[in-house]
Amino acid sequence: MSRRPPRGEYIETDTGNKVARKATLVGTQNIMLGGKTVIQPDVMIRGDLARTIPPAQSASGGPANNTAVAIGRYCFLSRGCCLRPPGRMYKGVFTFMPLRLGDHVFVGPGTVVQAAQIGNHVHIGGKVVIGEFAIIKDYVKVLDGSVVPPNMVIPSFSIVAGQPARIIGEIPEGGIEAFELRDLYKTVGNNPQPTAP
Amino acid sequence: MSSATPSPVPSSAHGHHKRHSILPAVSQSGPKPPVQFSSSCTIADSALLTGPHTIIVSTESVIHPRARLESLGGRVTVGRRCIVHERACLGAADLQGRYHKGSPDKEGRSMGAVTLGDYVTVEVGAQVESGGTVIGEGTTVGIGTRVGAGAVVGKHCTLTANSTVAAGEVIPDYTVIYSNGLRRIDRRGVSDLKNKAQARQIDVLRRMIPSNPGKFQ
């Protein structure tokens, strides 16, 4: 009789996504994971809050691709964070818009993200609140405990902190490598590789 | 709180039709409360209702998945057309872990643990402590906000994210609490528009969130 391997804490998909068993993903049909993304336990992703009006006259394709949350590659969602699509009144109807995360996005523990769009290589600290329809461009660092108000646009290469969040600095020239999350991805999972010395 | 075995391993990100939600089962921790649900309210299946006292949810209110309604300190009343987002807790313990019971009001009736007026929105992770806490009509309790025990928040207030209302504090109507405890008065006069927008939002949410009130009755 073959021995079944012990149940790990993470489910690893064939595209390299590591999803914790204790994460709460509601409406997974509308959640797109880019690949090599880590979702830690107690994360909550609301994929059921999808857009209600179809984006165009859908003559093409039966089941419309109704993505509520799209996450890029090498993203890292820490414990207890919550991703939910933003919603507002649009043409007289309340509707949810898709939440798009780019690649190499780190979301800290306990953070709530309701943005419309987050670019690539963004580091979001812990206990941050990102208000509805905020747009965060590439290479941004959001410090712990910030509250990004709704509809704020954070330009690339900025460092943002405070309540309400203000731009307090710029990413220095040599600071770009710190955003890469490939090494962090390898340290998590059922067979974690030790960090490189 | 133990989690039972979740649904089967999901297929890859571009897998097609047969993907389930990954919802680790929540076991009922604590007594099952007596409830009074309106027939038109929407209670998600994985909402958490505990406590010995009654929980009342009125007409057309929406309780998102993983919202917690705890009646350990007294009865929890949710008004009409309220929205309680996930991980919000009505009737929470204070920071020391105590559940306050409200002191009785002038006629000697006991105040419930938490009372929400109509059109209230309690956002993700907000903690409304028990102990006679009243949230007035049309108020928005922002993400991660903590409302202290026995506080009385006025009508059409806006408590922005991560703000705190001290225990027993009385907040006048139309107040906005923002930044690090700053206050101002909202003079926009948009209360009616906000109520209408909330009604529209509830129409949409009622279709999106599968309701299962029978589970709690």
Side-chain angles (χ1 to χ4, degrees), chain A residues 9-10 18-26 28 31 33 37-47 69 71 75-84 99 101 106-113, chain B residues 21-24 66 86-87 124:
Chain A
E9 190 187 350
Y10 288 90
K18 295 179 179 169
V19 181
R21 287 180 197 278
K22 293 212 182 123
T24 310
L25 271 58
V26 190
T28 50
I31 303 177
L33 298 179
T37 289
V38 175
I39 300 184
Q40 289 210 306
D42 291 333
V43 169
M44 187 153 184
I45 305 186
R46 298 297 303 275
V69 179
I71 302 180
C75 285
F76 195 100
L77 307 182
S78 314
R79 280 175 186 273
C81 71
C82 178
L83 267 58
R84 81 197 310 264
L99 160 64
L101 264 62
F106 178 91
V107 180
T111 293
V112 177
V113 178
Chain B
S21 295
I22 303 181
L23 279 171
R66 295 297 162 95
E86 59 263 24
R87 297 203 178 151
V124 178

